[in-house]
Amino acid sequence: MTATAPAAEATVRKSSPGATRGPRRRTGRLRRIGLPYLLLLPALLLELLVHLVPMVIGIVMSFKELTQFYIRDWGTAPWAGLDNYSVSVDFDAPVGQALLHSFLVTVAFTVLSVGLCWLIGTAAAVFMQDTFRGRGLLRALFLVPYALPVYAAVITWVFMFQHDNGLVNHVLHDQLGLTDKPSFWLIGDNSFVALLTVSVWKGWPFAFLIVMAGLQNIPRELYEAAALDGAGMIQQLRRITLPSLRPVNQVLVLVLFLWTFNDFNTPYVLFGKSAPEAADLISVHIYQASFVTWNFGTGSAMSVLLLLFLLVVTGVYLALTSRGRRTAQ
């Protein structure tokens, strides 16, 4: 009797409903955890094909002496080691000087474009918080530059910047008389102003949209309490609006920075394959180094250097913003 008691107890445990509930729960939990990764698998595979695989190929090409003589079979190009990188960062040589100039132009362009986009977008979003007749229509009109295709919008600006019959010269010179003679906007030093104008025009609606969404999460009671305490509009903006929008602005500035620094479509459509020296952004410069001079090894090395720079800047920015967030909390 005593020998068969443990066996009987084990049989009862196996046959009880609670015994199988544990494995079933673990299986269901594994299915719930694995389902999101399974759904993400197609997107991850497409990401590998579209971005990561060309990135790896570009890194390999940067270590090769790949010119027009090896385009048909670039795998047979001889290895150059770090020669392409040393040529790119040799600022005493013409190639390095041109890359440094393009980098400085891109930095100045990015700082001005991101700052103006954020400033105009924030001002418009704050203005649109008050209810008035026609607010919905005005919001829709503000988003038109962001909704338009890049090529259609930039080509329109190309016609507007024409020297003889462009709308910009017609308004500034013929109607307002602000200039002594019609200006050349697509060549010379004015090309930087033209590029900055187009970039801000098509970029600020994105900042407006993000800031406007962030403003919806600020309780109206804070503004009402501040108004009862005698705080004016400027004080409410400094004490309530901007501190509450800090997490939104941190992400917004980073996204605008990456988009603007890597922008290729705007200068390429605006100026063509050869951008003026004043508007020689690094994206177009790398394109010229690769597809115009047929030196794909040097162009790939410049692209890798640009990638490393953006990774470092993004990492430092995220570290600083996260530290500031922890300090504020």
Side-chain angles (χ1 to χ4, degrees), residues 63-304:
F63 294 102
K64 284 179 170 289
E65 190 178 346
L66 184 58
T67 58
Q68 57 183 335
F69 303 105
Y70 300 98
I71 292 179
R72 179 172 297 181
D73 189 7
W74 67 273
T76 60
W79 284 93
L82 297 176
D83 292 343
N84 293 325
Y85 292 93
S86 61
V87 169
S88 301
V89 298
D90 186 7
F91 301 133
D92 295 329
V95 176
Q97 290 178 355
L99 181 62
L100 179 61
H101 174 267
S102 177
F103 174 77
L104 295 177
V105 170
T106 307
V107 170
F109 166 74
T110 303
V111 171
L112 291 175
S113 178
V114 172
L116 290 174
C117 286
W118 176 84
L119 182 61
I120 298 174
T122 302
V126 172
F127 173 73
M128 286 294 169
Q129 286 301 107
D130 296 332
T131 304
F132 56 90
R133 181 175 298 179
R135 185 179 65 168
L137 177 61
L138 200 56
R139 283 180 175 180
L141 291 177
F142 281 174
L143 295 176
V144 167
Y146 181 69
L148 284 176
V150 176
Y151 290 94
V154 178
I155 287 175
T156 304
W157 277 101
V158 171
F159 287 107
M160 294 172 62
F161 281 128
Q162 292 297 321
H163 177 265
D164 296 326
N165 53 3
L167 180 62
V168 176
N169 279 334
H170 176 69
V171 173
L172 295 180
H173 176 68
D174 298 337
Q175 293 186 348
L176 300 179
L178 298 178
T179 58
D180 298 334
K181 56 182 179 179
S183 303
F184 290 94
W185 293 101
L186 300 180
I187 59 176
D189 295 336
N190 290 332
S191 59
F192 183 85
V193 179
L195 179 61
L196 182 62
T197 301
V198 177
S199 178
V200 173
W201 177 81
K202 72 181 186 63
W204 78 265
F206 176 75
F208 162 73
L209 185 64
I210 299 302
V211 174
M212 186 174 61
L215 289 174
Q216 305 302 319
N217 296 323
I218 303 177
R220 301 298 301 176
E221 292 78 6
L222 295 178
Y223 294 100
E224 295 175 359
L228 291 177
D229 292 337
M233 180 179 179
I234 302 300
Q235 291 179 338
Q236 293 179 14
L237 182 65
R238 290 180 53 190
R239 303 297 182 181
I240 300 176
T241 304
L242 293 181
S244 300
L245 288 176
R246 183 175 300 172
V248 176
N249 286 328
Q250 289 174 355
V251 178
L252 174 62
V253 170
L254 180 60
V255 172
L256 287 176
F257 167 77
L258 294 176
W259 283 359
T260 307
F261 209 96
N262 286 317
D263 190 12
F264 174 80
N265 295 328
T266 302
Y268 183 80
V269 178
L270 198 61
F271 305 115
K273 296 181 179 179
S274 57
E277 186 178 0
D280 185 22
L281 297 186
I282 196 168
S283 58
V284 181
H285 187 84
I286 293 175
Y287 170 81
Q288 292 175 347
S290 301
F291 295 96
V292 177
T293 62
W294 298 91
N295 197 339
F296 293 96
T298 305
S300 299
M302 294 178 182
S303 300
V304 175

